């Protein structure tokens, strides 16, 4: 658009008025404007990382409990008492759960970072944060239940 100021004393001739009237869109014809749609945004990298961390930890929990379940069959003797090798199974499950829960905390933090980014899709950030947060919450509830029940011994 050109800016062409006219003084108030000079009237516009009719030819220039017709020319300007034909260049301006009518009320039904809007000029084309590019509007950025949400579908044009990229996925946030931290959101994807949070989702991947949540999937890895869920798979890790499943594998850890299957392996420990298989190891636990040889932990008890015929009378149901724990053998001396039970400490290896208990340490294995404890370390694996602690490592996986630390990954879940990292996943929650990375997911929140992914949600804070502007002009990015937030789907993976939301899903990853929710899954990691639920697992962390369940782990905290498990620990608190153990502590409450251990006080009664």
């Amino acid at each position: 658009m050109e800016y062409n100021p006219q003084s108030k004393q000079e009237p516009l001739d009719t030819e220039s008025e017709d020319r300007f009237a034909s260049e301006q869109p009518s009320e039904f014809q809007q000029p084309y404007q590019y509007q950025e749609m949400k579908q044009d945004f990229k996925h946030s990298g931290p959101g994807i990382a949070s989702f991947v961390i949540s999937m890895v930890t869920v798979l890790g929990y499943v594998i850890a409990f299957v392996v420990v379940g298989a190891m636990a069959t040889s932990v008890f003797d015929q009378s149901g008492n724990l053998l001396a090798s039970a400490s290896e199974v208990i340490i294995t499950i404890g370390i694996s759960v602690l490592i996986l829960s630390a990954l879940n905390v990292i996943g929650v933090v990375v997911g929140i970072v992914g949600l804070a980014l502007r002009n990015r899709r937030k789907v993976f950030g939301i899903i990853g944060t929710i899954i990691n947060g639920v697992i962390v919450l369940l782990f905290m509830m498990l620990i608190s239940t153990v502590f409450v029940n251990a006080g009664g011994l």
Side-chain angles (χ1 to χ4, degrees):
M1 290 183 123
E2 292 181 44
Y3 178 69
N4 190 4
Q6 297 277 337
S7 67
K8 292 185 179 183
Q9 292 139 357
E10 297 177 23
L12 289 174
D13 57 274
T14 57
E15 180 181 313
S16 64
E17 286 180 9
D18 292 338
R19 184 174 56 103
F20 286 126
S22 65
E23 287 179 5
Q24 294 178 353
S26 68
E27 62 184 74
F28 297 111
Q29 179 187 6
Q30 296 291 327
Y32 176 75
Q33 291 180 353
Y34 176 73
Q35 294 178 352
E36 193 168 351
M37 304 298 282
K38 279 196 165 239
Q39 291 81 12
D40 295 340
F41 293 155
K42 291 182 183 179
H43 288 284
S44 67
I48 294 172
S50 174
F51 179 73
V52 169
I53 289 172
S54 69
M55 292 295 106
V56 167
T57 57
V58 166
L59 184 65
Y61 283 119
V62 169
I63 290 172
F65 283 109
V66 166
V67 168
V68 168
M71 289 172 61
T73 58
S74 63
V75 171
F76 296 104
D77 60 3
Q78 283 76 18
S79 61
N81 295 329
L82 285 174
L83 297 175
S85 64
S87 63
E88 179 183 334
V89 174
I90 294 170
I91 289 173
T92 303
I93 190 73
I95 289 175
S96 63
V97 167
L98 285 175
I99 290 171
L100 291 171
S101 63
L103 277 175
N104 285 124
V105 171
I106 293 169
V108 168
V109 171
V110 171
I112 291 171
V113 168
L115 291 174
L117 293 178
R118 291 186 180 184
N119 298 330
R120 298 289 181 167
R121 286 188 179 179
K122 299 183 183 348
V123 174
F124 286 115
I126 291 170
I127 295 171
T129 304
I130 289 174
I131 292 173
N132 285 315
V134 166
I135 293 172
V136 168
L137 184 66
L138 289 174
F139 180 72
M140 290 171 43
M141 288 174 51
L142 175 72
I143 296 297
S144 64
T145 304
V146 168
F147 282 151
V148 166
N149 289 332
L153 292 177

